[in-house]
Amino acid sequence: ARSRTVGELLAPTSPFDKKCGRENWTVAFAPDGSYFAWSQGHRIVKLVPWSQCLNNFLLHGTKNVANSISTRLPRQNSDSGQKNKPCEHIIDCGDIVWSLAFGSSVPEKQSRCVNIEWHRFKFGQDQLLLATGLNNGRIKIWDVYTGKLLLNLMDHTEVVRDLTFAPDGSLILVSASRDKTLRVWDLKDDGNMMKVLRGHQNWVYGCAFSPDSSILCSVGASKAVFLWDMDKYSMIRKLEGHHNDVVACEFSPDGALLATASYDTRVYVWDPHIGVILMEFGHLFPPPTPIFAGGANDRWVRSVSFSHDGLHIASLADDKMVRFWRIDEEYPVQVAPLNNGLCCTFSTDGSVLAAGQDGSVYFWATPRQVSSLQHLCRMAIRRVMPTSQVKNLPIPSKVVEFLCYQI
């Protein structure tokens, strides 16, 4: 089935302006669904209220030139009523932007640094931050509601290729870099760097938190997939199976599954708790043998994203296709064409997939299906129980297999 196009945001075409219009390596939705952000290539990041964006698609058809949105709101300088009047911002980050991540604050989550009593920033309940990772190794933190720069983090020595906030509202930020390290930052402690995670022998391409913020997955060159314990900052295990660089990863909403995308033309779905591959989604048929999977081809998988329903995965490959997969089916359930696609992510409610290429973003309606009661129960159980605990439950083996996503 062909996926239905919802809309597109096109970068302005200005051949002499070197601030935007090149590779768009990153797109992101705010955790509460209020904002959408994307890198327009080079230095520019665009922040738009997502509901306003959807309304424009409905009003004006699918096409939407990013710099001429008719309902554009003025910039907001006052701190009052920000949440009620979201407005768009154009942010010039000063260098090529490689990564973006939204982070929202929960005041009850204390900073891990307990000794410092004075902080420049007091993050409230409705705080929404945007982190941007740059070509020069810096990470800039912006206030989404005002578009103001808050912090400038400067410890990486190479490109900051990916960023991820802990989902628990603690404002713990992890950055993945070409300097072969991951760094852990505490934004509630004014951006203090808490830890350097070392283990990758080459570039680190991506990182992702588990939904309960206890595990971090990081992927990189040389087939590397690492799982880290984020309470102890220690490596749990290395996942073996890919035959080429691994460039993207994401956990399922219940934390029971982990999807990884690789240049070996495959997306693997793992049980991260025991390190076993449960599913394989191939993008080249017949699949390349290990000796050829390490080379160049036109089926490199660039990005992977898990839907909020826990049933669907989107992948984006160099063969100019976006694919939607069901975790219990071997072949894609929907496809869509996209040239030079580099990144994709589901909207917060899972109804739309955003994919970026060359400074622009394209949106598709995602496969919709009412989840079975069995699957909803499985997700509820897996949110609180790792595989080892599920296997010890006094229940029939078939139920255990279902809860472990093995049938």
Side-chain angles (χ1 to χ4, degrees), residues 385-396:
M385 295 185 80
T387 305
S388 56
Q389 289 182 21
V390 171
K391 290 194 168 181
N392 289 329
L393 291 173
I395 54 178

Side-chain angles (χ1 to χ4, degrees), residues 93-98 132-140 152-160 177 179:
C93 294
D95 204 346
I96 298 170
V97 180
W98 284 86
T132 55
L134 307 182
N135 194 64
N136 58 10
R138 295 191 176 190
I139 302 166
K140 292 187 175 181
N152 201 347
L153 313 178
M154 298 185 288
D155 278 284
H156 280 297
T157 56
E158 285 276 351
V159 170
V160 180
S177 171
D179 65 14

Side-chain angles (χ1 to χ4, degrees), residues 32 54 158 301 381:
D32 62 357
L54 278 177
E158 285 276 351
V301 189
I381 292 169

Side-chain angles (χ1 to χ4, degrees), residues 337-366:
L338 179 68
N339 288 339
N340 306 321
L342 295 170
C343 56
C344 66
T345 188
F346 281 95
S347 60
T348 311
D349 66 358
S351 63
V352 172
L353 182 82
Q357 55 96 283
D358 294 346
S360 300
V361 191
Y362 297 86
F363 301 91
W364 290 277
T366 58

Side-chain angles (χ1 to χ4, degrees), residues 250 259 303-307 312-315 344-346 353:
E250 190 163 21
S303 185
V304 66
S305 183
F306 240 113
S307 175
H312 293 93
I313 291 173
S315 67
C344 66
T345 188
F346 281 95
L353 182 82

